[in-house]
Amino acid sequence: RKEVEQDPGPFNVPEGATVAFNCTYSNSASQSFFWYRQDCRKEPKLLMSVYSSGNEDGRFTAQLNRASQYISLLIRDSKLSDSATYLCVVNNAPGGYQKVTFGIGTKLQVIP
Amino acid sequence: DADVTQTPRNRITKTGKRIMLECSQTKGHDRMYWYRQDPGLGLRLIYYSFDVKDINKGEISDGYSVSRQAQAKFSLSLESAIPNQTALYFCATRDSRGAYNEQFFGPGTRLTVL
C-alpha cells in the first residue's frame, strides 16, 4: 500500500460546481497534513494546512479524519482558475526526523 | 526576488555528461530537499539535508549526489546522465521549527537527457 494515495483524476467539472477530493494515508502516526496546488509545469504551492478540527478558507474546506486515515478538500463554486493539480502531503516523524510524503496529485479541470 | 531559486531552468544534455543543478534560498530555512517529478509518479524525494552537516538519501538517490555548500545552497549532481533521468527537478526548503511549517519550492529545472 502506498503511504499516500490519491485518485489522479482528471475531475472535469462545470463552473460553479462543488467538487471534493480525498486522500488516504497509511501511517496512523502521521502528524500534519497539507493540500498543495500545482499548475502545469510550475512549482507546488501551499493551498492550505489541514488541522484536526478542519479549516476553511473562502471556497475551500479541508477536513481530517484520523479514524479512517484520510484528508479531504472541498471546493465550492468552482472557478476556471481552480483548474490545477491538487497534491496531498503528509508529514510524519519516524525516528524523530520529519518525513514529508506527497501524493501523486488529483487533476481538476473546470469547464466553462 | 524569489525566495528559492534554481539554475538552470532548462537544460538539454547528452548521455554520459556530468551535470549540476543548483538551488539557493533566502528564507533562512535549515532543511533543503531535492525532488524529481515524472508524469504519473508524482514528486519523489532524491536527497534531503537537515543542515550543512546532515545529508540523507531519499527514495531514489541512485545516480545522484548532492552537496550542501552552505545553509542557503544545496546542489544536485548527475555524475553520468542517462535518458531516464529526464524529468522536472524541484528544490524545496522548510523550517524545522514547527510541525505545520510548509515546504517552499523553487521554480523547477526541466532536464532532458538525450
Side-chain angles (χ1 to χ4, degrees):
Chain A
R1 182 183 176 185
K2 291 183 179 179
E3 291 186 61
V4 178
E5 294 200 64
Q6 291 184 257
D7 182 341
F11 285 58
N12 297 313
V13 301
E15 267 187 293
T18 295
V19 62
F21 311 133
N22 282 345
C23 165
T24 59
Y25 60 94
S26 61
N27 187 342
S28 60
S30 296
Q31 298 175 321
S32 53
F33 309 87
F34 306 87
W35 284 102
Y36 278 68
R37 171 190 168 129
Q38 186 176 23
D39 293 297
C40 188
R41 297 173 180 257
K42 300 283 190 180
E43 72 271 28
K45 293 184 179 179
L46 180 69
L47 177 66
M48 57 199 307
S49 303
V50 187
Y51 302 119
S52 296
S53 56
N55 47 306
E56 185 173 317
D57 183 3
R59 298 181 293 109
F60 298 85
T61 300
Q63 297 280 352
L64 168 63
N65 186 318
R66 284 195 181 273
S68 299
Q69 295 183 204
Y70 74 87
I71 64 172
S72 63
L73 178 67
L74 180 77
I75 305 175
R76 290 180 297 277
D77 189 21
S78 299
K79 311 292 185 189
L80 295 177
S81 58
D82 294 334
S83 297
T85 296
Y86 292 84
L87 306 176
C88 167
V89 182
V90 176
N91 286 359
N92 55 60
Y97 284 107
Q98 285 278 334
K99 180 181 177 184
V100 181
T101 304
F102 285 78
I104 64 170
T106 297
K107 186 173 182 179
L108 172 66
Q109 185 70 44
V110 181
I111 304 165
Chain B
D1 287 343
D3 294 322
V4 185
T5 57
Q6 292 183 232
T7 56
R9 295 293 313 279
N10 289 282
R11 181 72 182 265
I12 300 173
T13 191
K14 294 182 179 180
T15 297
K17 293 291 187 181
R18 183 180 189 276
I19 184 167
M20 179 182 288
L21 309 183
E22 301 195 17
C23 176
S24 294
Q25 53 120 344
T26 58
K27 299 190 76 66
H29 290 170
D30 52 339
R31 298 188 175 182
M32 298 187 74
Y33 306 78
W34 274 105
Y35 293 91
R36 66 177 279 176
Q37 188 172 39
D38 301 272
L41 295 177
L43 282 161
R44 292 184 292 166
L45 183 63
I46 306 171
Y47 270 95
Y48 59 103
S49 170
F50 286 164
D51 64 40
V52 175
K53 297 179 181 179
D54 186 347
I55 304 260
N56 305 278
K57 291 182 177 180
E59 59 184 295
I60 53 161
S61 58
D62 287 349
Y64 301 95
S65 62
V66 291
S67 174
R68 184 87 182 262
Q69 301 95 322
Q71 188 183 38
K73 295 184 182 296
F74 193 36
S75 59
L76 176 72
S77 294
L78 287 69
E79 296 301 325
S80 179
I82 55 176
N84 76 2
Q85 291 177 313
T86 294
L88 182 56
Y89 290 83
F90 288 106
C91 172
T93 73
R94 183 175 180 271
D95 185 344
S96 64
R97 296 166 295 177
Y100 268 95
N101 289 347
E102 69 195 86
Q103 286 192 334
F104 290 85
F105 285 82
T109 295
R110 186 163 295 279
L111 176 66
T112 302
V113 184
L114 301 176

